[in-house]
Amino acid sequence: MTEISSGDQARLAELVAKNRDRIAFTRLFDHFAPRINGYLQRLGMNAEAAEDLTQDVMTVLWHKAELFDPAKSSLSTWLFRVARNRRIDAARRDSSRKLDPEDPFLWPEPLEPADSQMDARQRDERVRAALKDIPEEQRSLLRDAYYLGLTQSQIAEQTKLPLGTVKSRIRLAFARLRLALDADGLKD
């Protein structure tokens, strides 16, 4: 199974959504298809039905990748939710099998506590505010590294900057972020 970081997953999904990039899709397929298939089989689906449903989920990725929002969830969460929903739909269509309301798989996912949601929102706002005070040359490198999931070497290659410069600017950006967050007096 191919390992792909969550940042790379989001970047690859964006390439599929915008460009119908076959290489990006192949990498995502190779990473997720075996995992989704195994997940569905652990939930009691036979191998053939799990394979069919896995193909269906990966087709959703190909045709509807633009619906994936990395701000709301990871690609993994999104795809497994699609798999879960497709499994429920398949079970509903199967008139020979009744849904068991006691099946934990059918229970709604627990909501994140309101205080956790609020803490996360406040933390995000603090980081966004602190990022505004960082020079654009550093902020863009942080964006490439942490939102697009690029390695420092990839950033250096893409920006035509020396690798040492990329590393220094990212380190400086983190130092400025830390100072700004410490200066606001709030603690997580």
Side-chain angles (χ1 to χ4, degrees), residues 84 103-111:
R84 174 186 177 273
D103 183 353
F105 188 70
L106 300 176
W107 298 349
E109 295 177 21
L111 294 175

Side-chain angles (χ1 to χ4, degrees), residues 93-108:
R93 283 191 304 270
D94 183 5
S95 60
S96 66
R97 179 172 176 240
K98 301 285 185 215
L99 287 177
D100 178 7
E102 299 303 315
D103 183 353
F105 188 70
L106 300 176
W107 298 349

Side-chain angles (χ1 to χ4, degrees), residues 103 137 165:
D103 183 353
E137 64 191 23
T165 301

